């Protein structure tokens, strides 16, 4: 397996960040208090912030897998697409449990952190779609910081327990696939 693909698969999930950090999570938390947000939008905002926070942390910090599990429906699915050096795209499909098993050790070993830098949200009744632009950073095997970015496509449903992620699909950005300006938000 190409090492870029392996790092991207493990780290991209939810998906990412040089010049980033907890500022975006703090901004997302502040947005929840905005009187312009509906109750559903605020609940979705909290779920997405919890998703990003649950996979992020410094080297050697265990991830909050209970928080990670709590954002998903029981039958949730995750999938990732990663551009390869030859121009092709590699695909990886998994359940949240498989993600934890595959990615958990590397998230802890690499000190992976991911934050949302922009979101396009549509809500219709009890379904919602968030196009969430992310940036992340991790430490590579040589101890050097590395940055990644991409877009998470998050499909949410309103359950009896509130809003939950039903599916998460992410595409990591690369030289041949930069993030379009319209998805970078005002804070570019």
């Amino acid at each position: 397996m190409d090492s870029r693909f392996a790092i991207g698969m493990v780290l991209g999930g939810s998906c990412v960040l040089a010049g980033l950090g907890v500022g975006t999570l703090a901004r997302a938390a502040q947005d929840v208090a905005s009187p312009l947000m509906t109750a559903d939008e605020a609940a979705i905002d909290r779920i997405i912030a919890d998703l990003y926070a649950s996979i992020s942390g410094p080297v050697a910090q265990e991830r909050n897998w209970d928080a990670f599990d709590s954002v998903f429906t029981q039958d949730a699915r995750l999938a990732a697409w990663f551009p390869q050096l030859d121009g092709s795209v590699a695909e990886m499909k998994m359940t949240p449990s498989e993600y934890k098993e595959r990615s958990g050790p590397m998230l802890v070993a690499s000190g992976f952190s991911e934050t949302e830098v922009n979101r396009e949200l549509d809500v219709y009744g009890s379904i919602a779609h968030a196009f969430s632009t992310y940036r992340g950073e991790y430490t590579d095997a040589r101890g050097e910081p590395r940055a990644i970015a991409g877009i998470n496509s998050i499909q949410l449903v309103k359950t009896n327990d509130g809003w939950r992620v039903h599916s998460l699909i992410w595409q990591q950005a690369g030289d041949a696939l930069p993030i379009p300006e319209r998805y970078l938000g005002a804070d570019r």
Side-chain angles (χ1 to χ4, degrees):
M1 175 184 314
D2 179 321
S3 65
R4 271 183 77 185
F5 171 74
I7 291 293
M9 188 284 300
V10 171
L11 301 179
S14 317
C15 355
V16 279
L17 321 176
L20 313 141
V22 293
T24 301
L25 289 178
R27 180 180 49 79
Q30 289 172 351
D31 289 349
V32 172
S34 170
L36 300 177
M37 268 192 183
T38 68
D40 284 333
E41 290 168 337
I44 290 167
D45 190 73
R46 285 189 297 275
I47 286 293
I48 292 174
D50 288 349
L51 173 63
Y52 280 102
S54 69
I55 63 167
S56 297
V59 171
Q61 178 181 312
E62 250 332 292
R63 297 310 187 256
N64 185 345
W65 294 121
D66 290 337
F68 179 81
D69 290 339
S70 74
V71 305
F72 292 99
T73 62
Q74 187 173 7
D75 56 347
R77 295 292 179 259
L78 291 78
W81 274 258
F82 300 100
Q84 300 299 289
L85 296 175
D86 66 1
S88 66
V89 179
E91 172 188 356
M92 176 75 65
K93 295 178 184 177
M94 64 203 95
T95 65
S97 292
E98 290 168 333
Y99 176 84
K100 290 186 308 188
E101 185 178 307
R102 291 175 182 168
S103 302
M106 189 174 273
L107 294 175
V108 172
S110 68
F112 176 74
S113 291
E114 182 175 86
T115 60
E116 179 177 69
V117 296
N118 188 57
R119 180 186 314 151
E120 301 292 327
L121 178 66
D122 290 308
V123 180
Y124 178 73
S126 58
I127 62 173
H129 177 253
F131 224 47
S132 176
T133 305
Y134 66 83
R135 295 181 193 241
E137 62 184 13
Y138 65 95
T139 303
D140 70 15
R142 295 181 312 245
E144 297 291 323
R146 298 288 179 219
I148 58 173
I151 295 179
N152 289 317
S153 175
I154 306 168
Q155 294 72 46
L156 303 105
V157 294
K158 191 172 188 179
T159 71
N160 291 334
D161 296 322
W163 286 95
R164 297 293 182 263
V165 174
H166 183 67
S167 65
L168 169 61
I169 304 167
W170 67 95
Q171 170 91 50
Q172 188 170 323
D175 292 339
L177 185 64
I179 297 172
E181 288 287 321
R182 70 181 189 193
Y183 296 121
L184 292 174
D187 297 338
R188 300 184 241 287

